[in-house]
């Protein structure tokens, strides 16, 4: 089963008219949720993420934009309602919105993180003892990158399972395979990939299938809009 990872760079600023136009293509409950964000960048990421999911679903399932409804598991992981043969997972951070998707029911998890300075002591609470040891064994100049590699990989696994932070993060270890890949001994049925989106952002994805691509396909904001051009606004509820 083919898996695709699509990434959209979030513009610094968008014309108000285009925000209004595209906000009208998403469901009223999501519109209200997005309107509550204080920071503009949070609104942009949430809106572009929702548009990325919708434009992908209408391109790869029989559903039209107006037919898209989500169901959520008890930890908040969204999937398409009514059993459509389509699975996806979204992540957004910094300047990027990333979607892993497949026209199948494969478990999928994806995570992107903007690289920012961290206090490595937090590794003791989030990482397994083996991961912490590997982190502190890295040369100083590589440690921050390695931290984000592990962070995004671990997050992509808990997102694939859909259990959120109810899944203890220190109970499984993600480590290099020795041939440029990543694996987890506690999750032998899962595949992992890790790749940069640009110098300031790392992404990772996880699935039970070998079909995970090694990197993301970059979609521009213009391409994303084109995919939705023919969709009429959705009514207020
Ligand atoms: N499982 C998988 N995906 C989920 C989910 C769940 N239980 N709950 C929500 N999502 C999806 C949604 O599409 C959500 O998008 P939305 O917020 O626009 O609705 C998206 O994942 C958010 O993912 P991301 O951008 O990567 O957010 P996050 O990294 O802040 O949080 C969580 C991801 C909610 C799934 C959860 O794992 C969490 O809170 N993590 C905290 C981070 C942490 O401590 N990580 C330690 C790693 S070592
Ligand atoms: Mg994340």
């Amino acid at each position: 089963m083919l898996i695709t990872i699509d990434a959209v760079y979030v513009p610094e600023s968008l014309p108000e008219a285009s925000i209004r136009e595209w906000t009208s293509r998403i469901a009223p409950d999501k519109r209200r949720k997005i309107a509550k964000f204080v920071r503009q960048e949070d609104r942009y990421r949430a809106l572009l993420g929702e548009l990325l999911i919708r434009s992908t679903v209408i391109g790869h399932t029989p559903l039209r934009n107006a037919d898209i409804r989500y169901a959520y598991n008890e930890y908040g992981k969204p999937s398409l309602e009514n059993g459509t043969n389509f699975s996806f997972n979204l992540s957004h951070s910094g300047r990027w919105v990333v979607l892993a998707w497949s026209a199948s029911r494969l478990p999928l998890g994806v995570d992107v993180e903007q690289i920012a300075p961290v206090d490595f002591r937090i590794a003791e609470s989030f990482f397994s003892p083996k991961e912490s040891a590997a982190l502190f064994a890295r040369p100083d100049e590589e440690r921050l990158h390695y931290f984000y590699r592990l962070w995004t990989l671990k997050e992509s696994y808990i997102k694939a399972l859909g259990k959120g932070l109810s899944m203890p993060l220190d109970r499984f270890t993600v480590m290099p395979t020795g041939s440029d890949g990543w694996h987890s001994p506690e999750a032998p049925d899962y595949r992992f990939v890790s790749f940069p989106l640009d110098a300031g952002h790392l992404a990772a994805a996880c699935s039970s299938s070998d079909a995970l691509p090694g990197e993301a396909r970059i979609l521009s904001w213009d391409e994303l809009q084109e995919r939705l051009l023919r969709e009429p606004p959705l009514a207020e509820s």
Side-chain angles (χ1 to χ4, degrees), residues 152-171:
T152 50
L153 284 158
K154 289 173 80 65
E155 185 86 17
S156 74
Y157 175 60
I158 59 169
K159 292 186 75 185
L161 297 183
K163 293 188 174 169
L165 295 177
S166 71
M167 161 103 202
L169 287 163
D170 57 356
R171 302 278 176 80

Side-chain angles (χ1 to χ4, degrees), residues 76-111:
K77 182 173 183 173
S79 58
L80 290 187
E81 205 186 69
N82 64 38
T84 310
N85 213 26
F86 184 86
S87 61
F88 68 92
N89 194 231
L90 181 78
S91 183
H92 35 69
S93 174
R95 303 245 52 91
W96 291 93
V97 171
V98 186
L99 180 74
W101 64 272
S102 171
S104 71
R105 292 171 196 263
L106 285 171
L108 285 175
V110 68
D111 191 47

